Tab-separated table of all heavy atoms in Angstrom:
chain	number	residue	atom	x	y	z
A	84	MET	N	29.972	-8.442	12.923
A	84	MET	CA	28.625	-8.352	12.392
A	84	MET	C	28.688	-7.615	11.056
A	84	MET	O	29.448	-6.688	10.888
A	84	MET	CB	27.735	-7.609	13.380
A	84	MET	CG	26.294	-7.611	12.987
A	84	MET	SD	25.180	-6.762	14.143
A	84	MET	CE	25.405	-7.685	15.632
A	85	ASP	N	27.861	-8.023	10.139
A	85	ASP	CA	27.857	-7.403	8.829
A	85	ASP	C	26.619	-6.527	8.630
A	85	ASP	O	25.753	-6.460	9.496
A	85	ASP	CB	27.966	-8.469	7.749
A	85	ASP	CG	26.895	-9.549	7.881
A	85	ASP	OD1	25.794	-9.241	8.379
A	85	ASP	OD2	27.140	-10.677	7.466
A	86	ALA	N	26.551	-5.841	7.515
A	86	ALA	CA	25.449	-4.926	7.236
A	86	ALA	C	24.102	-5.649	7.210
A	86	ALA	O	23.103	-5.127	7.720
A	86	ALA	CB	25.693	-4.202	5.916
A	87	LEU	N	24.075	-6.831	6.639
A	87	LEU	CA	22.827	-7.588	6.592
A	87	LEU	C	22.360	-7.952	7.999
A	87	LEU	O	21.184	-7.799	8.331
A	87	LEU	CB	22.995	-8.847	5.738
A	87	LEU	CG	21.751	-9.706	5.548
A	87	LEU	CD1	20.649	-8.929	4.849
A	87	LEU	CD2	22.089	-10.956	4.754
A	88	ALA	N	23.281	-8.384	8.840
A	88	ALA	CA	22.923	-8.748	10.218
A	88	ALA	C	22.439	-7.527	11.002
A	88	ALA	O	21.487	-7.628	11.782
A	88	ALA	CB	24.104	-9.398	10.914
A	89	ILE	N	23.064	-6.391	10.777
A	89	ILE	CA	22.626	-5.165	11.455
A	89	ILE	C	21.206	-4.808	11.018
A	89	ILE	O	20.351	-4.475	11.838
A	89	ILE	CB	23.594	-4.002	11.144
A	89	ILE	CG1	24.952	-4.259	11.794
A	89	ILE	CG2	23.014	-2.670	11.625
A	89	ILE	CD1	26.049	-3.318	11.336
A	90	THR	N	20.957	-4.905	9.725
A	90	THR	CA	19.643	-4.573	9.191
A	90	THR	C	18.563	-5.522	9.718
A	90	THR	O	17.498	-5.089	10.164
A	90	THR	CB	19.668	-4.604	7.650
A	90	THR	OG1	20.694	-3.715	7.203
A	90	THR	CG2	18.342	-4.206	7.057
A	91	VAL	N	18.839	-6.807	9.680
A	91	VAL	CA	17.876	-7.797	10.161
A	91	VAL	C	17.648	-7.629	11.667
A	91	VAL	O	16.504	-7.665	12.138
A	91	VAL	CB	18.334	-9.231	9.813
A	91	VAL	CG1	17.465	-10.268	10.496
A	91	VAL	CG2	18.332	-9.438	8.306
A	92	SER	N	18.713	-7.417	12.408
A	92	SER	CA	18.591	-7.214	13.861
A	92	SER	C	17.748	-5.984	14.174
A	92	SER	O	16.922	-6.012	15.094
A	92	SER	CB	19.975	-7.059	14.498
A	92	SER	OG	20.733	-8.217	14.326
A	93	SER	N	17.951	-4.922	13.415
A	93	SER	CA	17.162	-3.704	13.608
A	93	SER	C	15.685	-3.958	13.327
A	93	SER	O	14.813	-3.506	14.070
A	93	SER	CB	17.672	-2.587	12.694
A	93	SER	OG	18.986	-2.242	13.009
A	94	HIS	N	15.423	-4.676	12.259
A	94	HIS	CA	14.033	-4.985	11.894
A	94	HIS	C	13.363	-5.846	12.967
A	94	HIS	O	12.227	-5.569	13.378
A	94	HIS	CB	13.982	-5.691	10.538
A	94	HIS	CG	12.604	-6.062	10.126
A	94	HIS	ND1	11.684	-5.146	9.689
A	94	HIS	CD2	11.984	-7.263	10.111
A	94	HIS	CE1	10.547	-5.766	9.424
A	94	HIS	NE2	10.705	-7.054	9.659
A	95	ILE	N	14.041	-6.866	13.418
A	95	ILE	CA	13.479	-7.741	14.458
A	95	ILE	C	13.238	-6.964	15.740
A	95	ILE	O	12.210	-7.136	16.400
A	95	ILE	CB	14.408	-8.952	14.700
A	95	ILE	CG1	14.385	-9.878	13.480
A	95	ILE	CG2	14.012	-9.704	15.970
A	95	ILE	CD1	15.437	-10.965	13.508
A	96	THR	N	14.176	-6.095	16.087
A	96	THR	CA	14.036	-5.292	17.303
A	96	THR	C	12.821	-4.382	17.230
A	96	THR	O	12.024	-4.318	18.175
A	96	THR	CB	15.318	-4.464	17.538
A	96	THR	OG1	16.423	-5.351	17.666
A	96	THR	CG2	15.202	-3.609	18.783
A	97	THR	N	12.658	-3.664	16.114
A	97	THR	CA	11.511	-2.764	16.006
A	97	THR	C	10.193	-3.538	15.930
A	97	THR	O	9.199	-3.123	16.524
A	97	THR	CB	11.643	-1.825	14.785
A	97	THR	OG1	11.837	-2.598	13.608
A	97	THR	CG2	12.798	-0.870	14.963
A	98	ALA	N	10.199	-4.675	15.264
A	98	ALA	CA	8.985	-5.493	15.191
A	98	ALA	C	8.606	-6.030	16.570
A	98	ALA	O	7.424	-6.019	16.945
A	98	ALA	CB	9.183	-6.645	14.209
A	99	ALA	N	9.594	-6.471	17.328
A	99	ALA	CA	9.328	-6.990	18.671
A	99	ALA	C	8.756	-5.896	19.570
A	99	ALA	O	7.848	-6.156	20.384
A	99	ALA	CB	10.608	-7.571	19.276
A	100	ALA	N	9.261	-4.686	19.435
A	100	ALA	CA	8.734	-3.574	20.219
A	100	ALA	C	7.318	-3.212	19.772
A	100	ALA	O	6.448	-2.936	20.604
A	100	ALA	CB	9.650	-2.365	20.116
A	101	ASP	N	7.084	-3.239	18.477
A	101	ASP	CA	5.761	-2.892	17.942
A	101	ASP	C	4.662	-3.818	18.437
A	101	ASP	O	3.537	-3.379	18.665
A	101	ASP	CB	5.772	-2.894	16.415
A	101	ASP	CG	6.465	-1.696	15.821
A	101	ASP	OD1	6.705	-0.705	16.558
A	101	ASP	OD2	6.791	-1.735	14.616
A	102	VAL	N	4.966	-5.096	18.586
A	102	VAL	CA	3.931	-6.043	19.026
A	102	VAL	C	3.946	-6.277	20.532
A	102	VAL	O	3.177	-7.081	21.048
A	102	VAL	CB	4.037	-7.397	18.277
A	102	VAL	CG1	3.800	-7.204	16.793
A	102	VAL	CG2	5.364	-8.085	18.534
A	103	GLY	N	4.833	-5.585	21.248
A	103	GLY	CA	4.826	-5.656	22.705
A	103	GLY	C	5.690	-6.734	23.315
A	103	GLY	O	5.631	-6.963	24.519
A	104	TYR	N	6.503	-7.415	22.523
A	104	TYR	CA	7.388	-8.446	23.063
A	104	TYR	C	8.630	-7.854	23.727
A	104	TYR	O	9.302	-8.526	24.495
A	104	TYR	CB	7.838	-9.421	21.974
A	104	TYR	CG	6.745	-10.305	21.418
A	104	TYR	CD1	6.791	-10.742	20.110
A	104	TYR	CD2	5.673	-10.710	22.208
A	104	TYR	CE1	5.795	-11.556	19.593
A	104	TYR	CE2	4.677	-11.513	21.700
A	104	TYR	CZ	4.742	-11.934	20.391
A	104	TYR	OH	3.760	-12.733	19.876
A	105	LEU	N	8.927	-6.613	23.398
A	105	LEU	CA	10.112	-5.941	23.908
A	105	LEU	C	9.715	-4.512	24.276
A	105	LEU	O	9.079	-3.830	23.468
A	105	LEU	CB	11.184	-5.924	22.803
A	105	LEU	CG	12.549	-5.376	23.110
A	105	LEU	CD1	13.269	-6.259	24.144
A	105	LEU	CD2	13.386	-5.320	21.829
A	106	PRO	N	10.067	-4.078	25.489
A	106	PRO	CA	9.747	-2.689	25.850
A	106	PRO	C	10.446	-1.708	24.895
A	106	PRO	O	11.561	-1.960	24.452
A	106	PRO	CB	10.315	-2.546	27.267
A	106	PRO	CG	10.471	-3.932	27.788
A	106	PRO	CD	10.714	-4.801	26.587
A	107	LYS	N	9.769	-0.615	24.594
A	107	LYS	CA	10.343	0.353	23.646
A	107	LYS	C	11.678	0.905	24.137
A	107	LYS	O	12.573	1.142	23.335
A	107	LYS	CB	9.350	1.467	23.381
A	107	LYS	CG	8.157	0.982	22.577
A	107	LYS	CD	7.352	2.105	22.001
A	107	LYS	CE	6.097	1.602	21.348
A	107	LYS	NZ	6.255	1.038	20.053
A	108	SER	N	11.833	1.065	25.438
A	108	SER	CA	13.104	1.567	25.962
A	108	SER	C	14.239	0.577	25.695
A	108	SER	O	15.354	0.975	25.352
A	108	SER	CB	12.996	1.863	27.461
A	108	SER	OG	12.647	0.690	28.177
A	109	ALA	N	13.957	-0.715	25.822
A	109	ALA	CA	14.963	-1.741	25.530
A	109	ALA	C	15.281	-1.751	24.034
A	109	ALA	O	16.441	-1.888	23.638
A	109	ALA	CB	14.477	-3.116	25.980
A	110	ALA	N	14.247	-1.598	23.211
A	110	ALA	CA	14.457	-1.568	21.758
A	110	ALA	C	15.336	-0.379	21.368
A	110	ALA	O	16.246	-0.526	20.552
A	110	ALA	CB	13.113	-1.493	21.033
A	111	LEU	N	15.092	0.772	21.971
A	111	LEU	CA	15.910	1.946	21.669
A	111	LEU	C	17.360	1.731	22.068
A	111	LEU	O	18.274	2.134	21.351
A	111	LEU	CB	15.338	3.183	22.363
A	111	LEU	CG	14.068	3.748	21.740
A	111	LEU	CD1	13.510	4.880	22.605
A	111	LEU	CD2	14.335	4.247	20.337
A	112	ASP	N	17.585	1.092	23.202
A	112	ASP	CA	18.958	0.789	23.627
A	112	ASP	C	19.654	-0.121	22.613
A	112	ASP	O	20.811	0.104	22.253
A	112	ASP	CB	18.970	0.130	25.010
A	112	ASP	CG	18.626	1.091	26.132
A	112	ASP	OD1	18.735	2.319	25.933
A	112	ASP	OD2	18.262	0.599	27.215
A	113	ILE	N	18.953	-1.155	22.177
A	113	ILE	CA	19.520	-2.087	21.191
A	113	ILE	C	19.811	-1.360	19.884
A	113	ILE	O	20.883	-1.518	19.293
A	113	ILE	CB	18.571	-3.280	20.964
A	113	ILE	CG1	18.485	-4.135	22.235
A	113	ILE	CG2	19.020	-4.122	19.766
A	113	ILE	CD1	17.352	-5.145	22.221
A	114	LEU	N	18.863	-0.541	19.427
A	114	LEU	CA	19.039	0.180	18.168
A	114	LEU	C	20.201	1.172	18.243
A	114	LEU	O	20.937	1.339	17.272
A	114	LEU	CB	17.743	0.883	17.776
A	114	LEU	CG	16.607	-0.058	17.387
A	114	LEU	CD1	15.304	0.727	17.240
A	114	LEU	CD2	16.928	-0.820	16.113
A	115	LYS	N	20.376	1.806	19.385
A	115	LYS	CA	21.510	2.717	19.561
A	115	LYS	C	22.830	1.963	19.464
A	115	LYS	O	23.797	2.444	18.852
A	115	LYS	CB	21.416	3.436	20.900
A	115	LYS	CG	20.374	4.527	20.933
A	115	LYS	CD	20.291	5.159	22.303
A	115	LYS	CE	19.134	6.133	22.382
A	115	LYS	NZ	18.990	6.688	23.735
A	116	LYS	N	22.889	0.780	20.061
A	116	LYS	CA	24.104	-0.034	19.994
A	116	LYS	C	24.381	-0.495	18.563
A	116	LYS	O	25.526	-0.479	18.101
A	116	LYS	CB	24.008	-1.229	20.935
A	116	LYS	CG	24.079	-0.824	22.391
A	116	LYS	CD	23.892	-2.001	23.314
A	116	LYS	CE	23.871	-1.523	24.760
A	116	LYS	NZ	23.571	-2.586	25.683
A	117	LEU	N	23.336	-0.905	17.856
A	117	LEU	CA	23.500	-1.315	16.463
A	117	LEU	C	23.968	-0.136	15.599
A	117	LEU	O	24.842	-0.289	14.742
A	117	LEU	CB	22.195	-1.890	15.901
A	117	LEU	CG	21.783	-3.254	16.438
A	117	LEU	CD1	20.345	-3.572	16.039
A	117	LEU	CD2	22.736	-4.332	15.949
A	118	SER	N	23.401	1.031	15.853
A	118	SER	CA	23.799	2.217	15.110
A	118	SER	C	25.255	2.578	15.384
A	118	SER	O	26.010	2.879	14.455
A	118	SER	CB	22.890	3.393	15.494
A	118	SER	OG	23.296	4.566	14.848
A	119	SER	N	25.648	2.527	16.637
A	119	SER	CA	27.045	2.828	16.995
A	119	SER	C	27.996	1.848	16.329
A	119	SER	O	29.044	2.236	15.800
A	119	SER	CB	27.225	2.779	18.504
A	119	SER	OG	26.515	3.810	19.123
A	120	TYR	N	27.630	0.586	16.341
A	120	TYR	CA	28.463	-0.439	15.706
A	120	TYR	C	28.590	-0.156	14.205
A	120	TYR	O	29.685	-0.219	13.647
A	120	TYR	CB	27.872	-1.826	15.948
A	120	TYR	CG	28.736	-2.920	15.382
A	120	TYR	CD1	29.724	-3.498	16.144
A	120	TYR	CD2	28.572	-3.355	14.070
A	120	TYR	CE1	30.537	-4.496	15.615
A	120	TYR	CE2	29.376	-4.335	13.528
A	120	TYR	CZ	30.353	-4.911	14.315
A	120	TYR	OH	31.163	-5.887	13.789
A	121	ALA	N	27.474	0.152	13.570
A	121	ALA	CA	27.493	0.418	12.128
A	121	ALA	C	28.368	1.626	11.808
A	121	ALA	O	29.142	1.603	10.851
A	121	ALA	CB	26.071	0.640	11.619
A	122	ARG	N	28.274	2.656	12.625
A	122	ARG	CA	29.079	3.869	12.384
A	122	ARG	C	30.570	3.589	12.532
A	122	ARG	O	31.386	4.221	11.868
A	122	ARG	CB	28.651	4.973	13.325
A	122	ARG	CG	27.303	5.542	13.001
A	122	ARG	CD	26.840	6.516	14.085
A	122	ARG	NE	25.476	6.872	13.902
A	122	ARG	CZ	25.073	8.023	13.390
A	122	ARG	NH1	25.951	8.914	13.000
A	122	ARG	NH2	23.795	8.277	13.268
A	123	LEU	N	30.922	2.656	13.401
A	123	LEU	CA	32.327	2.305	13.577
A	123	LEU	C	32.882	1.501	12.409
A	123	LEU	O	34.068	1.583	12.102
A	123	LEU	CB	32.522	1.487	14.861
A	123	LEU	CG	32.465	2.231	16.182
A	123	LEU	CD1	32.511	1.240	17.342
A	123	LEU	CD2	33.617	3.225	16.278
A	124	HIS	N	32.033	0.694	11.774
A	124	HIS	CA	32.503	-0.237	10.757
A	124	HIS	C	32.207	0.158	9.314
A	124	HIS	O	32.713	-0.477	8.387
A	124	HIS	CB	31.942	-1.632	11.044
A	124	HIS	CG	32.518	-2.216	12.284
A	124	HIS	ND1	31.993	-1.978	13.538
A	124	HIS	CD2	33.597	-3.004	12.484
A	124	HIS	CE1	32.713	-2.596	14.441
A	124	HIS	NE2	33.696	-3.235	13.827
A	125	PHE	N	31.402	1.192	9.123
A	125	PHE	CA	31.066	1.654	7.777
A	125	PHE	C	31.241	3.158	7.732
A	125	PHE	O	30.733	3.867	8.597
A	125	PHE	CB	29.630	1.268	7.405
A	125	PHE	CG	29.391	-0.211	7.428
A	125	PHE	CD1	28.879	-0.831	8.557
A	125	PHE	CD2	29.703	-0.996	6.333
A	125	PHE	CE1	28.681	-2.202	8.592
A	125	PHE	CE2	29.502	-2.379	6.362
A	125	PHE	CZ	28.996	-2.977	7.492
A	126	LYS	N	31.940	3.655	6.713
A	126	LYS	CA	32.275	5.083	6.692
A	126	LYS	C	31.085	5.988	6.372
A	126	LYS	O	31.065	7.145	6.751
A	126	LYS	CB	33.428	5.359	5.734
A	126	LYS	CG	33.124	5.154	4.277
A	126	LYS	CD	34.309	5.480	3.412
A	126	LYS	CE	33.927	5.361	1.947
A	126	LYS	NZ	34.971	5.842	1.085
A	127	ASP	N	30.075	5.441	5.664
A	127	ASP	CA	28.896	6.242	5.342
A	127	ASP	C	27.745	5.327	4.922
A	127	ASP	O	27.890	4.101	4.852
A	127	ASP	CB	29.208	7.269	4.257
A	127	ASP	CG	29.774	6.637	2.975
A	127	ASP	OD1	29.476	5.465	2.687
A	127	ASP	OD2	30.522	7.330	2.268
A	128	TRP	N	26.596	5.960	4.661
A	128	TRP	CA	25.402	5.208	4.295
A	128	TRP	C	25.608	4.433	2.992
A	128	TRP	O	25.164	3.293	2.855
A	128	TRP	CB	24.207	6.148	4.177
A	128	TRP	CG	22.983	5.471	3.660
A	128	TRP	CD1	22.389	5.669	2.460
A	128	TRP	CD2	22.222	4.454	4.316
A	128	TRP	NE1	21.296	4.840	2.325
A	128	TRP	CE2	21.170	4.086	3.458
A	128	TRP	CE3	22.304	3.816	5.546
A	128	TRP	CZ2	20.229	3.123	3.784
A	128	TRP	CZ3	21.366	2.845	5.868
A	128	TRP	CH2	20.344	2.517	4.998
A	129	HIS	N	26.267	5.040	2.041
A	129	HIS	CA	26.498	4.383	0.753
A	129	HIS	C	27.298	3.092	0.934
A	129	HIS	O	26.949	2.044	0.364
A	129	HIS	CB	27.226	5.332	-0.212
A	129	HIS	CG	27.414	4.740	-1.573
A	129	HIS	ND1	28.517	4.004	-1.930
A	129	HIS	CD2	26.603	4.759	-2.658
A	129	HIS	CE1	28.384	3.595	-3.168
A	129	HIS	NE2	27.242	4.046	-3.644
A	130	THR	N	28.345	3.139	1.729
A	130	THR	CA	29.170	1.954	1.985
A	130	THR	C	28.340	0.865	2.670
A	130	THR	O	28.421	-0.311	2.313
A	130	THR	CB	30.381	2.320	2.874
A	130	THR	OG1	31.092	3.386	2.253
A	130	THR	CG2	31.295	1.141	3.086
A	131	PHE	N	27.547	1.280	3.649
A	131	PHE	CA	26.679	0.327	4.354
A	131	PHE	C	25.698	-0.329	3.388
A	131	PHE	O	25.551	-1.550	3.372
A	131	PHE	CB	25.923	1.038	5.483
A	131	PHE	CG	25.040	0.133	6.279
A	131	PHE	CD1	25.531	-0.543	7.380
A	131	PHE	CD2	23.708	-0.050	5.929
A	131	PHE	CE1	24.703	-1.392	8.129
A	131	PHE	CE2	22.888	-0.889	6.659
A	131	PHE	CZ	23.386	-1.560	7.759
A	132	SER	N	25.037	0.494	2.572
A	132	SER	CA	24.020	-0.053	1.670
A	132	SER	C	24.631	-0.956	0.598
A	132	SER	O	24.043	-1.987	0.251
A	132	SER	CB	23.200	1.066	1.030
A	132	SER	OG	24.015	1.907	0.256
A	133	GLU	N	25.805	-0.587	0.095
A	133	GLU	CA	26.480	-1.443	-0.881
A	133	GLU	C	26.833	-2.799	-0.270
A	133	GLU	O	26.655	-3.844	-0.894
A	133	GLU	CB	27.746	-0.760	-1.411
A	133	GLU	CG	27.474	0.397	-2.338
A	133	GLU	CD	26.877	-0.037	-3.653
A	133	GLU	OE1	27.327	-1.049	-4.216
A	133	GLU	OE2	25.945	0.650	-4.124
A	134	LYS	N	27.322	-2.785	0.954
A	134	LYS	CA	27.672	-4.035	1.641
A	134	LYS	C	26.405	-4.863	1.898
A	134	LYS	O	26.400	-6.084	1.721
A	134	LYS	CB	28.395	-3.721	2.951
A	134	LYS	CG	28.941	-4.929	3.647
A	134	LYS	CD	30.079	-5.558	2.876
A	134	LYS	CE	30.712	-6.675	3.677
A	134	LYS	NZ	31.634	-7.463	2.885
A	135	PHE	N	25.323	-4.209	2.303
A	135	PHE	CA	24.054	-4.906	2.523
A	135	PHE	C	23.602	-5.608	1.246
A	135	PHE	O	23.231	-6.784	1.272
A	135	PHE	CB	22.975	-3.926	2.995
A	135	PHE	CG	21.606	-4.522	2.989
A	135	PHE	CD1	21.188	-5.334	4.019
A	135	PHE	CD2	20.734	-4.287	1.930
A	135	PHE	CE1	19.917	-5.910	3.998
A	135	PHE	CE2	19.478	-4.846	1.907
A	135	PHE	CZ	19.063	-5.663	2.947
A	136	LEU	N	23.614	-4.890	0.127
A	136	LEU	CA	23.183	-5.485	-1.142
A	136	LEU	C	24.079	-6.647	-1.547
A	136	LEU	O	23.597	-7.689	-2.000
A	136	LEU	CB	23.146	-4.421	-2.234
A	136	LEU	CG	22.068	-3.357	-2.070
A	136	LEU	CD1	22.250	-2.261	-3.112
A	136	LEU	CD2	20.682	-3.962	-2.141
A	137	GLU	N	25.378	-6.478	-1.378
A	137	GLU	CA	26.331	-7.542	-1.696
A	137	GLU	C	26.055	-8.804	-0.868
A	137	GLU	O	26.005	-9.916	-1.402
A	137	GLU	CB	27.744	-7.043	-1.422
A	137	GLU	CG	28.838	-8.047	-1.630
A	137	GLU	CD	30.194	-7.479	-1.182
A	137	GLU	OE1	30.530	-6.365	-1.601
A	137	GLU	OE2	30.877	-8.167	-0.416
A	138	GLU	N	25.848	-8.627	0.427
A	138	GLU	CA	25.596	-9.763	1.308
A	138	GLU	C	24.249	-10.408	1.021
A	138	GLU	O	24.109	-11.632	1.073
A	138	GLU	CB	25.674	-9.311	2.772
A	138	GLU	CG	27.068	-8.878	3.165
A	138	GLU	CD	27.107	-8.108	4.469
A	138	GLU	OE1	26.056	-7.885	5.093
A	138	GLU	OE2	28.222	-7.721	4.871
A	139	ASN	N	23.258	-9.579	0.689
A	139	ASN	CA	21.934	-10.091	0.393
A	139	ASN	C	21.957	-10.931	-0.887
A	139	ASN	O	21.332	-11.992	-0.961
A	139	ASN	CB	20.954	-8.926	0.259
A	139	ASN	CG	19.521	-9.349	0.349
A	139	ASN	OD1	19.190	-10.306	1.048
A	139	ASN	ND2	18.675	-8.658	-0.348
A	140	ILE	N	22.700	-10.496	-1.878
A	140	ILE	CA	22.819	-11.240	-3.134
A	140	ILE	C	23.527	-12.590	-2.894
A	140	ILE	O	23.133	-13.619	-3.456
A	140	ILE	CB	23.560	-10.412	-4.205
A	140	ILE	CG1	22.664	-9.262	-4.667
A	140	ILE	CG2	24.002	-11.257	-5.378
A	140	ILE	CD1	23.370	-8.232	-5.517
A	141	MET	N	24.537	-12.580	-2.037
A	141	MET	CA	25.270	-13.827	-1.760
A	141	MET	C	24.376	-14.870	-1.094
A	141	MET	O	24.575	-16.063	-1.288
A	141	MET	CB	26.491	-13.536	-0.868
A	141	MET	CG	27.598	-12.833	-1.621
A	141	MET	SD	29.185	-12.752	-0.751
A	141	MET	CE	28.742	-12.093	0.824
A	142	LEU	N	23.377	-14.414	-0.332
A	142	LEU	CA	22.456	-15.366	0.304
A	142	LEU	C	21.476	-15.966	-0.676
A	142	LEU	O	20.915	-17.025	-0.442
A	142	LEU	CB	21.697	-14.680	1.431
A	142	LEU	CG	22.462	-14.439	2.708
A	142	LEU	CD1	21.593	-13.699	3.715
A	142	LEU	CD2	22.961	-15.740	3.308
A	143	GLY	N	21.247	-15.271	-1.755
A	143	GLY	CA	20.347	-15.778	-2.784
A	143	GLY	C	18.987	-15.329	-2.565
A	143	GLY	O	17.958	-15.583	-2.588
């Protein structure tokens, strides 16, 4: 999974919880897993954000 996918997945998860499609406890579990994954694959916030911008630009 890449930085863009993590970001989009996080956004969809929080939006689904906000409108009641997903219980908040389930959303928190998903977000914790996404956060753990990101911490394993990116050394810091700057690296994550640079990768996100790079991937976003490639999509157009």
Side-chain angles (χ1 to χ4, degrees):
M84 187 179 299
D85 54 30
L87 183 61
I89 292 169
T90 304
V91 171
S92 298
S93 297
H94 179 74
I95 291 170
T96 301
T97 55
D101 285 345
V102 297
Y104 292 149
L105 185 66
K107 290 195 187 282
S108 60
L111 286 174
D112 288 340
I113 293 167
L114 292 171
K115 285 178 187 176
K116 290 176 184 175
L117 289 168
S118 177
S119 293
Y120 183 90
R122 289 172 190 257
L123 285 173
H124 292 86
F125 300 94
K126 68 179 184 172
D127 56 27
W128 174 249
H129 183 270
T130 305
F131 182 88
S132 62
E133 288 292 318
K134 187 68 173 169
F135 169 80
L136 292 173
E137 177 186 310
E138 294 165 0
N139 197 32
I140 289 169
M141 287 192 309
L142 284 178

